[in-house]
Amino acid sequence: MTAQPLLAVDSASLYFRAFHGVPEKAAMTSAGEPVNAVKGFLDMIAQLVRTRRPDRVVCALDNSWRPAWRVELVPSYKKHRVAHGDVEVVPPALEKQVPVLLEVLAAVGIPAFGVDGYEADDVLGTLAATQPGPVEVVSGDRDLFQLVDDERGTRLLYCGRGVSKLEDADNALVEAKYGVPAKWYADFAAMRGDASDGLPGVPGVGDKTAARLIMRYGGVDEILAALDDPDAGFAPGVRTKLSDARDYLTRALPVCKVALDVKLPEFDATMPRSPKDPEALYALADRWNLASSAKRLVDALAG
């Protein structure tokens, strides 16, 4: 019998997707307060539990969505998404729903936590590296393709097109999609850049060139080492571009790499078969008009 997976959920990825995917008018309280992000999130978790049959579940949070140590290395990191100070641009109607969602998860008994100084990606990476496999990471964040590890049984359930159209990514899928193995996805991202994260990449090096270089030489460290070898076989133009970007690549690689050794709080990932606090869940469902979504989740957990 195949072991049941740990479902490791990128919470922000899913609740942003729910907020934009479920119309506000379709999910409101009697007082007109939107709960579309909460409703959509709960429905997605219910569907994942039904279809993936995990025996453990954890929701990762962004305690630090733009960690200072990453910004110090690459100052442009996520800079375009800053509202003021170091606060992320989040629609006010969504911001108000996140505490409600966390209350519902606590009442159900699903652990949800982040770690100061780290992003949810780092929590997910550490879960994938330290928890017994298989581990299924759920996210619409391409950065997490780097966690795919066939030997450990780590997969990315990529929901770029929604939970109903998941891409169940193993290493073969990553290679087919990007031309590099999952273990070098972070190197690939550092080289080609990622506008959504404010990573400029190496000027003149796009997806195909980055993939070709990685498959010939290895990751960023190996490529930079090869630059010092006159017989390494670089085209003159490519050698110049990489040489000019040496400092950027040295700084960008640790920014792109997901941390695998974050000190996590104590948690019990065992999937609850019934709500941890039924009265609290009932009260929340009543207050926020979430009865149908709460019932779908509870029914899915009961299996």
Side-chain angles (χ1 to χ4, degrees):
M1 181 178 175
T2 304
Q4 291 178 276
L6 163 66
L7 197 66
V9 179
D10 182 352
S11 300
S13 180
L14 263 64
Y15 64 60
F16 267 97
R17 182 166 298 281
F19 178 76
H20 292 294
V22 179
E24 281 191 14
K25 292 182 179 179
M28 285 190 165
T29 68
S30 57
E33 301 154 298
V35 287
N36 53 328
V38 184
K39 176 181 171 57
F41 185 97
L42 297 179
D43 287 346
M44 285 190 274
I45 297 297
Q47 182 172 344
L48 287 163
V49 169
R50 281 197 310 272
T51 56
R52 308 306 302 187
R53 308 314 307 168
D55 62 358
R56 296 157 290 153
V57 59
V58 175
C59 290
L61 304 174
D62 275 321
N63 275 27
S64 302
W65 76 282
R66 190 174 180 251
W69 61 272
R70 282 194 167 108
V71 175
E72 186 176 345
L73 288 166
V74 179
S76 62
Y77 183 63
K78 294 186 178 179
K79 188 174 182 179
H80 61 297
R81 287 155 55 182
V82 175
H84 56 83
D86 201 33
V87 178
E88 184 180 13
V89 177
V90 179
L94 170 58
E95 196 170 13
K96 294 175 182 176
Q97 295 183 55
V98 176
V100 178
L101 173 58
L102 296 180
E103 284 189 73
V104 173
L105 290 175
V108 172
I110 294 176
F113 57 83
V115 175
D116 291 346
Y118 293 94
E119 300 174 55
D121 287 9
D122 302 310
V123 174
L124 295 165
T126 301
L127 288 168
T130 61
Q131 298 301 299
V135 176
E136 296 188 340
V137 178
V138 185
S139 179
D141 186 345
R142 294 179 300 177
D143 294 335
L144 294 171
F145 279 115
Q146 67 185 274
L147 297 182
V148 170
D149 185 332
D150 291 354
E151 287 187 20
R152 277 192 55 82
T154 303
R155 306 174 82 90
L156 175 65
L157 305 183
Y158 182 67
C159 55
R161 296 183 298 154
V163 169
S164 61
K165 297 179 180 178
L166 286 177
E167 289 185 77
D168 184 354
D170 58 5
N171 190 65
L173 185 144
V174 179
E175 285 206 44
K177 201 175 180 72
Y178 296 106
V180 298
K183 68 178 180 178
W184 282 327
Y185 183 85
D187 303 72
F188 171 77
M191 291 181 68
R192 68 103 186 257
D194 189 339
S196 67
D197 279 340
L199 292 168
V202 178
V205 174
D207 291 32
K208 290 183 179 178
T209 302
R212 187 167 62 250
L213 289 167
I214 286 169
M215 294 307 290
R216 178 168 181 178
Y217 299 101
V220 165
D221 292 338
E222 289 79 8
I223 290 169
L224 293 180
L227 285 176
D228 299 325
D229 178 1
D231 298 321
F234 290 101
V238 172
R239 183 187 288 273
T240 300
K241 290 171 184 174
L242 293 170
S243 295
D244 290 347
R246 184 187 288 268
D247 180 64
Y248 160 75
L249 285 171
T250 301
R251 290 171 171 271
L253 184 58
V255 172
C256 293
K257 281 191 172 181
V258 171
L260 306 177
D261 57 355
V262 176
K263 184 173 174 54
L264 303 178
E266 288 189 15
F267 65 94
D268 181 1
T270 305
M271 195 176 74
R273 294 299 176 183
S274 59
K276 181 179 180 181
D277 190 337
E279 290 187 11
L281 181 60
Y282 178 84
L284 287 164
D286 185 55
R287 162 68 180 86
W288 296 103
N289 192 26
L290 295 167
S292 59
S293 293
K295 184 178 188 305
R296 276 192 285 275
L297 178 55
V298 169
D299 288 349
L301 294 170

